[in-house]
Amino acid sequence: MLRILLLLLTLLAGQALAAPDSFLQRPIELDTHSGTLYGSLLVPKRDKAVPVALLIAGSGPTDRDGNNPIGGRNDSLKKLARLLANQGIASVRYDKRGVAASQAAGADERTLSIERYTADVAAWGQKLKQDPRFSRLILIGHSEGALLASLAADAAGADAIVSLAGSARPIDQLLYAQLRIRLPPPLLAQSERLLASLRNGQTVADVPPQLEVLFRPSVQPYLISLFRQDPADAFARLRIPALIIQGSHDIQVSVSDAERLKAVKPDARLIIIDGMNHMLRIVPMDMAQQLASYREPRLPLAQQLGKSIVSFIETESTSSNAGNGR
């Protein structure tokens, strides 16, 4: 009898593990005048319209899942999309032009600019706003994606925005701060000269081999366009509800950046997650463990991260429905 009971419990456990997801996952495309962008759509199985989040990846060749061939696989945005879907919030995450499945839309790196990436975010937003399955559009930008979200919010028709590990400083200043603690003095001095030239709109043909990955000539036009932007100014111009989330153990963006964003937009909500790093995980302030987390997809997202985003979206959706008499 005991053996039969154990077998029954095992079968029931297996069925629970194999339970179907509470959402549907589908491919989604955005046709632009200069190529097609490819993404993933997660839609909760609901009978009514649901909020939809557009997830915007960070800098470099970061794909829709938050992975980067240089930094490694961590699946941060993929995990966030699934978390949202299980809480009744749809999402679209996409490969930026020139990256992964959207590589053909930006095959020539010299043609990329912050303005083009911003236009892509706006076009995705407009597409989602026209879809009757969705009630409200929330832009969720991670790192450099937070700047893109701020720049595109109006044109996208966004109802709210979430900044995850977003800088308040111009990106050349942020980049120099990161390099200052990682490069030996000779390379740091060369980096400073390169940054100064690009800040002034001047490309540099002669780049030291050790700095090619950051300052190769083909990426310099993009950097020039990026360095013209002031993230704090862009965030201050927003006229929609905003949530700022920053981890205390982020080795790329500081808590002071988040506090600066809050200062320029006092009605924004600010949440500092103790122990969370740039990959949205709880990781000690140990450089070896920090770097390992950039290529460890099995690490769970910080628990407070999901709770904070879901609460913000649900609260804003409820307030909007009340205001519209729904």
Side-chain angles (χ1 to χ4, degrees), residues 196-303:
S197 294
L198 297 174
R199 191 185 308 118
N200 291 326
Q202 300 173 347
T203 58
V204 181
D206 187 17
V207 179
Q210 304 95 319
L211 300 176
E212 278 276 339
V213 67
L214 285 176
F215 299 111
R216 59 193 178 277
S218 61
V219 80
Q220 290 181 21
Y222 178 76
L223 293 176
I224 289 172
S225 74
L226 178 61
F227 293 169
R228 286 197 295 259
Q229 303 299 326
D230 186 325
D233 283 351
F235 197 74
R237 292 195 297 268
L238 294 172
R239 295 294 178 264
I240 55 177
L243 172 64
I244 306 161
I245 297 182
Q246 178 62 44
S248 66
H249 285 186
D250 191 327
I251 61 174
Q252 292 187 235
V253 179
S254 70
V255 169
S256 62
D257 283 293
E259 292 171 341
R260 171 62 177 159
L261 293 178
K262 169 68 173 175
V264 299
K265 185 172 170 54
D267 63 340
R269 304 182 195 180
L270 171 61
I271 295 177
I272 307 298
I273 300 181
D274 188 37
M276 189 177 79
N277 76 346
H278 200 67
M279 291 296 100
L280 312 178
R281 270 62 172 220
I282 301 298
V283 180
M285 280 299 280
D286 170 81
M287 189 58 70
Q289 294 185 65
Q290 285 280 338
L291 295 178
S293 73
Y294 281 62
R295 51 183 184 275
E296 180 45 86
R298 291 172 296 180
L299 282 177
L301 297 180
Q303 191 173 39

Side-chain angles (χ1 to χ4, degrees), residues 37-52:
L37 306 183
Y38 297 89
S40 297
L41 167 67
L42 270 62
V43 184
K45 296 176 181 177
R46 302 290 174 92
D47 294 329
K48 61 180 182 179
V50 297
V52 60

Side-chain angles (χ1 to χ4, degrees), residues 136-140 153 157-162 240-242 312 316:
R136 289 172 63 75
L137 170 66
I138 300 91
L139 302 184
I140 302 180
D159 299 293
I161 186 172
V162 179
I240 55 177
F312 172 73
E316 293 304 326

Side-chain angles (χ1 to χ4, degrees), residues 17-286:
L17 289 173
D21 289 327
S22 60
F23 57 85
L24 301 174
Q25 178 167 303
R26 298 285 185 269
I28 186 170
E29 300 177 4
L30 177 70
D31 293 326
T32 75
H33 68 280
S34 54
T36 301
L37 306 183
Y38 297 89
S40 297
L41 167 67
L42 270 62
V43 184
K45 296 176 181 177
R46 302 290 174 92
D47 294 329
K48 61 180 182 179
V50 297
V52 60
L54 179 63
L55 307 186
I56 309 164
S59 62
T62 304
D63 67 17
R64 72 185 78 178
D65 292 336
N67 301 326
N68 188 308
I70 300 172
R73 178 188 169 202
N74 63 82
D75 283 350
S76 55
L77 297 185
K78 181 179 181 180
K79 287 178 177 290
L80 179 56
R82 294 180 68 88
L83 183 155
L84 294 174
N86 282 320
Q87 295 298 317
I89 300 167
S91 71
V92 167
R93 62 190 197 278
Y94 66 98
D95 295 327
K96 297 179 295 183
R97 62 175 65 243
V99 175
S102 304
Q103 200 276 334
D108 186 350
E109 190 174 50
R110 295 168 298 180
T111 67
L112 299 178
S113 67
I114 195 71
E115 291 82 9
R116 175 163 285 189
Y117 277 152
T118 299
D120 290 340
V121 174
W124 276 112
Q126 292 161 11
K127 179 183 179 76
L128 297 177
K129 289 286 285 187
Q130 295 169 5
D131 193 317
R133 293 174 294 179
F134 307 131
S135 57
R136 289 172 63 75
L137 170 66
I138 300 91
L139 302 184
I140 302 180
H142 177 245
S143 194
E144 187 179 298
L147 170 60
L148 290 171
S150 294
L151 294 172
D154 282 349
D159 299 293
I161 186 172
V162 179
S163 170
L164 299 180
S167 174
R169 290 166 283 175
I171 305 303
D172 61 298
Q173 296 179 20
L174 177 67
L175 184 55
Y176 180 73
Q178 294 172 356
L179 295 176
R180 187 172 53 191
I181 61 175
R182 292 172 175 82
L183 293 181
L187 280 180
L188 181 60
Q190 290 177 299
S191 295
E192 191 171 12
R193 286 193 292 271
L194 285 164
L195 287 169
S197 294
L198 297 174
R199 191 185 308 118
N200 291 326
Q202 300 173 347
T203 58
V204 181
D206 187 17
V207 179
Q210 304 95 319
L211 300 176
E212 278 276 339
V213 67
L214 285 176
F215 299 111
R216 59 193 178 277
S218 61
V219 80
Q220 290 181 21
Y222 178 76
L223 293 176
I224 289 172
S225 74
L226 178 61
F227 293 169
R228 286 197 295 259
Q229 303 299 326
D230 186 325
D233 283 351
F235 197 74
R237 292 195 297 268
L238 294 172
R239 295 294 178 264
I240 55 177
L243 172 64
I244 306 161
I245 297 182
Q246 178 62 44
S248 66
H249 285 186
D250 191 327
I251 61 174
Q252 292 187 235
V253 179
S254 70
V255 169
S256 62
D257 283 293
E259 292 171 341
R260 171 62 177 159
L261 293 178
K262 169 68 173 175
V264 299
K265 185 172 170 54
D267 63 340
R269 304 182 195 180
L270 171 61
I271 295 177
I272 307 298
I273 300 181
D274 188 37
M276 189 177 79
N277 76 346
H278 200 67
M279 291 296 100
L280 312 178
R281 270 62 172 220
I282 301 298
V283 180
M285 280 299 280
D286 170 81

